[in-house]
Amino acid sequence: MANNLMKALDAAFGHPRGKVGELGGRVMAVLNAKVEEHVTEVAAPTSEEVVLVLGPGPGVGLRLAGERALKAIGVDPSQVMLDEARERCAELIVAGRVELREGAATRTGQPAGSVDVVVSVNNLQLWGNRPAAFHELFRVLRPGGRLVVSVHRRALDTSEYDLIQEAEAAGFTGVRTSLHQYGGVVGPAVQLLAHVPA
């Protein structure tokens, strides 16, 4: 029974697929809305900047970034989530302000030094090889670029100190974490901020 529940939760939220994944995307769009808004405000992309959104899921934060930035690029390993994000951001895609493609934190498909901001909401626990992912994100960010990551505290399988160490080992500076509470059924979130030296 517990194994079936874990499989269902993974299909809905971990690695969204099928009808369960579509339902999970709708739930994520509601539950993560405040976090997506806050992360976008913290990242503060300008109209001259390119934003890479890791794991945009149903596209709530991707849309917010696309409305502010020169361009927002969403990279997600789930075709179900890419489809939902494509629907939510349809007019921004037509306008050339949002782009979507299959990928992950360790393989973004972005050229080196091609983005100004990287944001990630509630998927750091799915990155697989976190140190490799931090190196990839450092690689794709321009000098002076910034990284904003938010993740449910209960989803973390490591300490905030370890996250800071991993980000610094990849080359990031000014790395710090803070705890945020968004209310509702969603527990506290750890937010990590980091910069690429100018």
Side-chain angles (χ1 to χ4, degrees):
M1 182 69 169
N3 193 34
N4 288 340
L5 176 60
M6 293 307 291
K7 285 181 181 177
L9 288 173
D10 184 66
F13 305 111
H15 302 88
R17 54 197 180 273
K19 294 295 182 188
V20 175
E22 291 175 14
L23 177 61
R26 291 203 262 313
V27 172
M28 283 187 265
V30 174
L31 293 185
N32 290 337
K34 287 182 182 177
V35 184
E36 298 278 13
E37 289 172 15
H38 184 241
V39 166
T40 304
E41 286 300 314
V42 171
T46 71
S47 58
E48 290 86 42
E49 292 183 316
V50 176
V51 180
L52 176 63
V53 181
L54 290 177
V60 174
L62 181 66
R63 180 179 179 85
L64 292 170
E67 289 170 345
R68 293 177 62 149
L70 176 67
K71 182 178 241 184
I73 302 163
V75 174
D76 202 298
S78 167
Q79 191 57 54
V80 171
M81 291 298 95
L82 290 171
D83 290 344
E84 289 197 19
R86 193 171 288 111
E87 186 176 327
R88 179 166 270 108
C89 301
E91 70 275 14
L92 292 170
I93 292 171
V94 171
R97 298 188 57 187
V98 165
E99 178 184 319
L100 282 159
R101 66 167 163 269
E102 190 273 335
T106 54
R107 49 177 182 82
T108 64
Q110 280 297 119
S114 61
V115 300
D116 302 284
V117 186
V118 174
V119 297
S120 165
V121 172
N122 293 332
N123 57 64
L124 177 138
Q125 72 276 15
L126 303 171
W127 287 4
N129 185 336
R130 273 194 323 268
F134 278 121
H135 276 89
E136 169 69 356
L137 303 182
F138 185 85
R139 182 188 72 80
V140 303
L141 279 162
R142 294 187 177 110
R146 54 208 184 273
L147 170 67
V148 184
V149 176
S150 180
V151 61
H152 295 304
R153 189 177 202 183
R154 68 174 183 265
L156 276 179
D157 64 353
T158 191
S159 70
E160 293 173 43
Y161 175 78
D162 286 342
L163 290 181
I164 292 171
Q165 293 292 105
E166 289 169 359
E168 288 178 341
F172 286 101
T173 59
V175 186
R176 64 188 190 278
T177 62
S178 55
L179 198 62
H180 297 268
Q181 182 61 259
Y182 296 99
V185 299
V186 179
V190 172
Q191 186 176 94
L192 178 142
L193 304 178
H195 294 84
V196 174

